[in-house]
Amino acid sequence: MDYDNSFERILGSVSKDKFRQNANKLLNECFMLKECADTKNSYYFILKEKELFSAYFDLLGYELIINEEYGLIALNNSYGTGRIRLRLLDSIILLFLRLIYIEERKKLSQSEQVIVYVDELYERYRSLKNERLKKPDMRSALGLLKRYHIVFNLDSDMGNPDTRLQIYPSVILAFDVGELNKVYVETKDKLDKYVNGGEAENNADEEDID
């Protein structure tokens, strides 16, 4: 069977190269967002051809998730695979960003962006772990999350407490629900102590991101 010709018949007038480019971008970068300059064109292209992309990814075992309210497109693997393995530190920073996004989103209009200073993450981490997070570790964690379009730094140095971060709505879907509950349960006592200004102990593990 000539798969290339069959594929082109399915695509119809849609460019095969453009389709492949955007399909691979979604697979490799996790999230396509309307408000992210790097993914905006892909977001609109996939949205326009959503039935085609949905059918294609369904064959690969993925569900195409489109949330136009948040301007967000993502994939969910039906078999629980295709996830990125995170260090506990990355998971903690991601969880903080998710909590901050939810808190700030309630105060803002739909068109306003959620902006946070990196110092807020340092403070939450110090209250949780009872230690100061080193700048290279913060840069590493935020650099990973930036790569997958969860945050974007508005200033150059992501290890600097005065650096501003834009938190994208993708942070809501970044955790698998089961994994989010697991992280929450494992850190609940420490999070409670954080809220009450208490101390916390160190820990080490890994978690997943979709």
Side-chain angles (χ1 to χ4, degrees):
M1 180 182 293
D2 190 336
Y3 289 102
D4 280 344
N5 287 337
S6 298
F7 187 46
E8 287 179 355
R9 284 197 296 272
I10 294 171
L11 288 172
S13 61
V14 178
S15 165
K16 180 171 66 174
D17 289 339
K18 192 171 183 179
F19 178 88
R20 283 176 172 168
Q21 177 185 356
N22 285 279
N24 280 315
K25 187 175 181 66
L26 181 55
L27 275 169
N28 293 329
E29 300 179 20
C30 295
F31 301 104
M32 300 292 106
L33 296 118
K34 181 170 63 176
E35 62 183 87
C36 174
D38 186 51
T39 64
K40 184 176 182 178
N41 290 338
S42 292
Y43 170 83
Y44 280 114
F45 180 76
I46 296 171
L47 185 63
K48 179 183 177 183
E49 306 295 344
K50 59 185 176 183
E51 293 184 3
L52 180 59
F53 277 93
S54 181
Y56 173 77
F57 282 114
D58 182 63
L59 290 174
L60 300 181
Y62 288 93
E63 174 191 5
L64 183 69
I65 299 172
I66 298 176
N67 188 317
E68 293 188 63
E69 179 183 358
Y70 287 107
L72 169 67
I73 296 176
L75 291 174
N76 179 53
N77 190 288
S78 306
Y79 301 101
T81 59
R83 295 177 182 172
I84 302 159
R85 196 70 175 168
L86 296 182
R87 300 172 300 166
L88 181 61
L89 170 60
D90 301 326
S91 297
I92 289 173
I93 298 300
L94 179 58
L95 183 56
F96 285 158
L97 289 167
R98 190 179 193 275
L99 293 171
I100 293 170
Y101 183 87
I102 293 171
E103 292 166 3
E104 294 300 314
R105 188 74 270 165
K106 295 176 181 177
K107 307 173 188 176
L108 303 172
S109 67
Q110 189 62 37
S111 61
E112 290 181 288
Q113 299 171 339
V114 176
I115 308 295
V116 63
Y117 284 96
V118 171
D119 189 53
E120 173 71 12
L121 299 175
Y122 278 121
E123 289 303 316
R124 293 198 181 212
Y125 185 88
R126 181 161 50 188
S127 296
L128 177 65
K129 303 287 284 183
N130 195 32
E131 62 182 31
R132 182 73 176 179
L133 181 62
K134 296 178 181 179
K135 286 185 178 182
D137 292 329
M138 181 66 81
R139 290 190 193 102
S140 175
L142 291 176
L144 175 67
L145 300 181
K146 178 183 179 180
R147 191 182 313 154
Y148 296 107
H149 308 303
I150 294 169
V151 296
F152 179 77
N153 54 306
L154 302 176
D155 305 294
S156 59
D157 185 357
M158 288 192 286
N160 191 325
D162 294 328
T163 290
R164 296 163 299 158
L165 294 175
Q166 179 180 350
I167 308 176
Y168 290 132
S170 48
V171 74
I172 297 298
L173 298 180
F175 263 121
D176 173 80
V177 174
E179 292 298 334
L180 178 60
N181 290 336
K182 179 181 176 183
V183 171
Y184 176 77
V185 168
E186 289 178 350
T187 60
K188 184 177 185 302
D189 290 341
K190 296 180 180 181
L191 289 172
D192 288 342
K193 288 179 181 179
Y194 161 73
V195 171
N196 295 320
E199 297 182 351
E201 299 175 355
N202 294 331
N203 201 352
D205 202 349
E206 294 183 341
E207 296 302 335
D208 292 333
I209 181 175
D210 279 347

